Every structure is written in C-alpha cells, then in structure tokens.
Amino acid sequence: MASGRRPEHMAPPEMFYNQEEAKKYSQNSRMMEIQSQMSERAVELLNLPEGQACFLLDVGCGSGLSGDFLSEEGHVWVGVDISTAMLDVALDREVEGDLVLGDMGQGMPFKAGTFDGCISISALQWLCNADKKSHSPPRRLHVFFSSLYSSLSRGGRAVFQLYPENSEQLELITSQAMRAGFSGGMVVDYPNSSKAKKFFLCLFAGASGVLPKGLGGEASDRNVPDQVQFSGQRTRFKNLKGRSLKKGKDWILDKKERRRRQGREVRADTKYTARQRRPRF
C-alpha cells in the first residue's frame, strides 16, 4: 500500500476485498506470481507423501490462486473465504476446488479428520483484529484452531503464511494454536532480508514432527533465528532487536492501547511499577 497502512487496519476482510480489489488478483501478474510462490513453499512445508493425491483445505482461498497450484500438483481441495467478491472471481476463473463462504473466526464447518493438510496464504493475521464489538481475537483464534485441529487427520499439518504485525501478535497466534492441541512452530525464510523475509507457521496435528529449516538460514545472524518451535510450553518471541517482549513501561502502555482498540476493558487506574530485586545474602 502506498499509504503504508496494513490492509487489516483499513476495513474488515469482507469489505476490503471488494470487487475492485478482487479483480487485481486475476489481472495482476506480479500478485499471481507471488501467490504461486508462497503456495508452493507452503505445500513444501506440508511434507505430503510423494506421488499421492491428498485432500487439502485452503483457508482464505480468495480468488483461487493457491488452489490452482494445488490442482497442478494433483491434489483435491476445498477453499474457504469470507469475501463473496473474491469467491465470485474464483468461480469466474473456473477453479477446480469446491468453494465455501465462511468466516474463519467462527470455525471450520467440516467433519473430524476430513483433510490431509491445510494451507493458508496471507489470511491468519486478520483474526488478530476486532472488527466488531463482539469480536475477541483470542477467542476467535481459539475457535478457528480448535475446529481446524478437528478437521485434520491425525498426523496432518497446517501451514500458514502470514504477515505478523509484531512479536506480541505472533505469541497470541501460537498460544491459541497450542491451546487447541497443535505443536509446531514458526519457520522464517530469509530472516535477514527485509524484502524477501517470509513467516510460515507450521503446525502438527496429533503428532509432533521435525520443524523444517527456513530458507536462507545458512547465512543468518545468530540473533535472527530461522525457526521458533513450541511444544508443551508457551514460547516467548523476541523482536528484531533481540529484546524480550515484556520488559518495560513502553510495552505495558502499548499493550493497554492494543486492548482498547480490540474493545477489551482496560483499568484506567493501573500504573506501571518497576519490580525491584532484593539483594541476596
């Protein structure tokens, strides 16, 4: 965006992805190329059996560009999206997958064990916003991850390419995924590149797996890891400067402001007080 604003801060997804925006995804060759590349990487991280057609779920399928890649790879897929305009474009393009209109924050409406795997490109971060007063991002994330966990076959994976806004958002997302039963972690491709850097949340349903290495990790700085794994305990992410999340007045004030934007109650009389360590004798 020329304005520098993130799409999820401009309007709810069903409104932002209107007919005009949806057309870009079928006419802009650069967008199509990027979507195809990220879809290819997400499928690679799924680690599907070679030479075997799988039944996959595409969450936030949009106009079906990711689905095109899935079809080319010989897989059968179902796409879910909240935007009718994007799904209309997918229908006009005659994609091979089945399409479902739905809000991922209200859960996935599928029977237990339906899918062999799931991918999602540039959609998950939208759940971190409260577009309505009734929306609670932690609750919506938990509902989504819980229903997705149930929808996957045991041992299946889900891979989400996302654009996290900050470290706290990453922690919110991963903590809710863990609550739902997933293990796994964050894979970061090209961690030292501001332009090529990509985040992929790789989740395992019902069985722990080996977290893949991020691309370009060989030359990465030790302070910029290409993967962060969680299993059984809450992970504390660090920001790009390597500092811990919860270490100061600014973090407390920022958290309170984010809670207000999300429609959550914040105590006006709460004050920041630094903890003093007692000397040991």
Side-chain angles (χ1 to χ4, degrees), residues 53-56 58 61-79 87 89-100:
C54 295
F55 191 34
L56 304 177
D58 183 0
C61 65
S63 59
L65 297 179
S66 298
D68 287 343
F69 178 79
L70 297 180
S71 296
E72 290 172 5
E73 292 294 298
H75 302 302
V76 180
W77 59 278
V78 173
L87 293 178
V89 171
L91 288 172
D92 290 341
R93 296 179 61 248
E94 298 183 346
V95 297
E96 295 184 21
D98 292 327
L99 304 174
V100 177

Side-chain angles (χ1 to χ4, degrees), residues 11-18 82-85 126 131-132:
E14 65 271 28
M15 297 177 62
F16 179 82
Y17 290 108
N18 52 30
I82 196 173
S83 167
T84 55
W126 289 85
D131 295 318
K132 302 177 181 178

